[in-house]
Amino acid sequence: MTYQNRDTQIIQYKPLSLLQIEAMLPHLLKRKNIASYDGNCVFIGNRKDYPFKKDFISCATVEDVAVAIETMVTQGVGPWIAAVHAMAMQADLSKNKSSLVADLNLAKERLAKTRPTNTLIRYRVEEVFQLAKGAIESNQDPAETILTRIDQLLDEMYTHYGLRGQIGAQQLEDGDGVLTMCFAETSFILAMSIAKQGGKKLTAYVPETRPYLQGARLTAPSLQEVGIEVKLITDNMPAAIMAEGKIQKYMTAADLITLDGHVVNKVGTFQNAIAAHAHNIPFYAFAWGCDYNKPDRASIEIEYRDPSEIRSCRNIATTTDDIGALYPAFDITPPKYVSGIITRHGILSPFDLKNGYEEEN
Amino acid sequence: MTYQNRDTQIIQYKPLSLLQIEAMLPHLLKRKNIASYDGNCVFIGNRKDYPFKKDFISCATVEDVAVAIETMVTQGVGPWIAAVHAMAMQADLSKNKSSLVADLNLAKERLAKTRPTNTLIRYRVEEVFQLAKGAIESNQDPAETILTRIDQLLDEMYTHYGLRGQIGAQQLEDGDGVLTMCFAETSFILAMSIAKQGGKKLTAYVPETRPYLQGARLTAPSLQEVGIEVKLITDNMPAAIMAEGKIQKYMTAADLITLDGHVVNKVGTFQNAIAAHAHNIPFYAFAWGCDYNKPDRASIEIEYRDPSEIRSCRNIATTTDDIGALYPAFDITPPKYVSGIITRHGILSPFDLKNGYEEEN
């Protein structure tokens, strides 16, 4: 299988260096601010209280990391990055114990089940578990082996972010209003930054993204930090402002893409995509790729979270405790509403993912 | 112009009496809990802090009432009901003064400009102003004249609510999941109650309706109070639960309907309607009628409110103060997304409003 045609699409770009990318990123997305391991604890950048607090949650056990992931201390790529660092920590904690492999296996199982919808976390912890086992068999340090692999993965991920950012930036035109949803992280922020550096004036319309307000708390301040004009809206407003002609592009991340082109992302992504379609606005999802183990929408497990989270906002009640509620954390946008998947290979049709597309960061 | 065909549509219903209707209503919608005047003050049922407080805002001047309307102490039909009571209060306050008519005129102007999108408030204060002038000219008490007219208007309004509730109930089927938006008040609550009394099991899916949370605070508790099963969701979830097959009907109120069938209602109504259309779910708007002075969408003035309200939720910050924001309070659903307008004459096509349809409560 060759990707020659696709790769030639991006020959026009001089890839950004890792340092260039790091310099363009806002606080939240800088490498060390997502998750790290200092030999004792895993530190996870606390997105739950940002921008009111800019702190880290320190985790001394795998269980601490798992709970941090479950309680949304981090999200997006944060969970897998925190999880693989937790695997390295477990390798140190169980060092020289006969239970080392069993402990790593338990850690892997615990971390894999923290969030059911996004599958990347499972693949990543499985990968580093296998590497650690190999290291143990050949008398190498499993924690070091994992940390070396994390560095490789992150180098690759940020390099790919840079390419996707460049490709996304090319879609943006001077004067565009760009709708997003939730926190589309590095690809999207880079696309906006690169387009702005190229002299394009952009306005980002950011839905607040209830119940956790990732749009209001993470996306809006991060875009403002890199100099993009921001208009925060509530989640009921995208179609209203589309009708006013304010939106020219709709761009989000994707937590998972099926082989047949269904885009799974934060709940709300789908209804914005339907509204965009009705207004002839293209919808692009930035993605690491599709999941070959997820052929179609029937194979997706949508995470339902605690309904009590719907009855409050930043710990303030929005109604009385006895009101029934429902909290699907993600939704599924069928390929007919998706104009393109922005990958490092260029912009792929959601209907064409099965034809020679590699899994990647 | 005759309405015979339309009126025969509803001959099958034995209209509910005003007492029957009052008995079916939840706390918030009972007549005296919307707004009243005791000869000294106008009391407005405080929807801003409901259900956390169940109190009234007491207003001793027209300015107090206007500010209460502007700050969303009441909404839906509440603003015009509060406003006409304020006109009665002004008639008493200026009684025997030479400035009486001028004072009433000032009161009318102040009240009319409180909320620009919903036009009913302007028509109602104009009507009672003219009645008061007539009363003054014929040496009758203008406050009494206004209060008598208010009673007539409310009798008529609740009678019409009953008819619309019966017609709406007929559309609901056993097992239906019903999406709504914001607080669709009496017609919708009655439709659900009447259908339930007819043995139909219903589940209401209620978007919280940011930024003021009318769905979470007003609709969800009110539906629960009358015995309807409620599932509160956030505003980004309607399409996600439609895709799961949970929604069979979408029903809202309408703040204004143009002669060519555009439905103006709380922001979010439009994007839910687009999503409903994409899922073959009918969208019905309950309405007092269309506005003959509003021929089309170009004639609608959409109220933009203070963007700072987007940066908080129940007075808790959702982001930092320096983030730009946008707050359109209403949106416009074009007739192609509207399956029917539920009026006391039956269910009208939004494309047919111009052919013999009377203005009413």
Side-chain angles (χ1 to χ4, degrees), chain A residues 335-356:
Chain A
K336 72 172 177 174
Y337 295 114
V338 181
S339 312
I341 311 292
I342 300 182
T343 74
R344 69 181 174 101
H345 301 294
I347 296 184
L348 306 186
S349 163
F351 294 99
D352 186 40
L353 301 178
K354 59 189 175 301
N355 298 317

Side-chain angles (χ1 to χ4, degrees), chain A residues 153-229:
Chain A
L153 284 168
L154 291 179
D155 283 354
E156 198 177 86
M157 183 180 83
Y158 277 94
T159 302
H160 292 175
Y161 273 147
L163 290 168
R164 279 184 255 152
Q166 288 176 313
I167 294 165
Q170 202 183 27
Q171 298 306 307
L172 296 169
E173 287 164 76
D174 188 31
D176 272 359
V178 184
L179 179 71
T180 188
M181 187 68 198
C182 198
F183 185 37
E185 297 192 283
T186 305
S187 307
F188 176 63
I189 301 279
L190 280 180
M192 298 291 277
S193 292
I194 293 167
K196 182 179 189 286
Q197 290 184 2
K200 299 172 184 171
K201 183 167 164 40
L202 305 169
T203 305
Y205 291 85
V206 181
E208 63 179 5
T209 316
R210 281 278 289 143
Y212 275 104
L213 302 167
Q214 290 95 334
R217 297 187 302 100
L218 310 181
T219 305
S222 293
L223 284 167
Q224 182 157 297
E225 190 180 335
V226 299
I228 304 291
E229 187 183 344

Side-chain angles (χ1 to χ4, degrees), chain B residues 310-329:
Chain B
I310 301 297
R311 289 189 293 261
S312 66
C313 180
R314 294 201 65 219
N315 301 319
I316 296 294
T318 57
T319 191
T320 51
D321 283 349
D322 57 346
I323 299 291
L326 212 59
Y327 181 2

